[in-house]
Every structure is written in C-alpha cells, then in structure tokens.
Amino acid sequence: MHERAAEFAELARDRHGVDLDVLEFDAGTETAAAAADAVGCDTAAIASTIVVSLAEPERETGPENLVAAITSGANRLDLDAVAELFGAASAEMADPGRIREVVGWSIGGVPPVCHDAALPTVFDPTLASYDTVYGAAGTPSAVFAIDPDDLADLAGATVVDVTE
C-alpha cells in the first residue's frame, strides 16, 4: 500500500476508531469519473472533497479561511452558495499549496476526514441516496468505501446543498 494511503488508514483508526478498507488502483482515481470507473459505481457515489478559500467570512472557518465541501462526483460545487452559507464576500477553490500546507493532503487525493487542521465541512445530500460512497484515501490512486451517514458523522459535516 502507498505510504500516504497507509497513513490515512492509520489516522482514521487513531482519530475516529474506524478501520477503513483502502482500495488502490493503478489507473488512478483523481477525478470522480476515474474513481467511479475503477470502483465500478455511479459517478454520483464518489464523495469528492473540495477545499474552498473564503474572503472575509462572517462565520467561523478553519485556518486561513478554509472550509471543506464533500460533494457527489456528479455535482458541481456552487462557490457562491458556499460563500453565502459562511457569510463571505466570495469563495474560490483553495490554492493547492495552501491545501497541502494546512490540510496535509494534496489535491487529487484529499480525503474527507483526517485533515491536519479542523475545517468546517458541508456534505452534499445527494450522497445520502447511496448505501455506499467512496472517498479519496490520501493519494490520487486510493479510495475507501463508507456509508454516507457514517462519513458525514466522521467529518462533523453539515448536510446542506451547495451544488449547482
């Protein structure tokens, strides 16, 4: 198992008391479509984690005004809706370097849980329509399967639609 995927599995066990079965794929899983193809599920069952940077938020955020959104791979994140939810002047996709520095993971493999810093997290209700969803497990070629309600609980996420 890739070192980062093993680290993710260990963090999940240590921080959340769960043993997650990490699946790795040679073809890669860095996009929702690629992950769905690898796993053999609907693209909508992929739980993509997107880190967003907010300008002048009124609500509490994570370090450097970052928040996380766990969305269905079939949906597109509405940055304006995220900004509105947090009372921010605007929202944009966070810089990859800031994500790595603050969250501890690189884009393409950012898991929905086990971040270095606590980020307020929103959860796409579309994911709840599946028995099992798949989230990134720390690398662009690793995912893990989980019940969507359990994932929302582990992430401390607020279920709210912030998709287009």
Side-chain angles (χ1 to χ4, degrees):
M1 180 180 301
H2 187 280
E3 179 181 319
R4 293 292 281 162
E7 179 183 351
F8 167 74
E10 184 177 328
L11 285 170
R13 189 173 29 263
D14 293 347
R15 291 183 186 175
H16 302 289
V18 295
D19 285 315
L20 299 174
D21 185 22
V22 174
L23 308 169
E24 293 184 284
F25 299 93
D26 291 336
T29 58
E30 59 189 53
T31 67
D37 285 346
V39 172
C41 69
D42 291 341
T43 302
I46 300 300
S48 299
T49 303
I50 301 166
V51 180
V52 177
S53 177
L54 300 174
E56 304 170 29
E58 293 175 0
R59 285 184 48 195
E60 183 74 22
T61 66
E64 298 192 37
N65 294 332
L66 298 180
V67 298
I70 303 169
T71 63
S72 165
N75 293 338
R76 184 174 169 92
L77 183 64
D78 183 340
L79 292 169
D80 291 337
V82 175
E84 184 177 330
L85 182 65
F86 287 91
S90 64
E92 63 184 15
M93 305 294 262
D95 174 76
R98 284 181 61 207
I99 294 170
R100 176 69 177 106
E101 181 181 319
V102 175
V103 180
W105 304 98
S106 297
I107 59 170
V110 176
V113 295
C114 300
H115 302 153
D116 287 352
L119 300 181
T121 303
V122 294
F123 190 87
D124 183 349
T126 301
L127 293 166
S129 64
Y130 290 88
D131 292 332
T132 302
V133 296
Y134 298 86
T139 77
S141 61
V143 297
F144 68 98
I146 190 167
D147 175 277
D149 293 332
D150 291 343
L151 178 56
D153 288 344
L154 289 177
T158 301
V159 178
V160 60
D161 188 3
V162 289
T163 62
E164 293 181 349

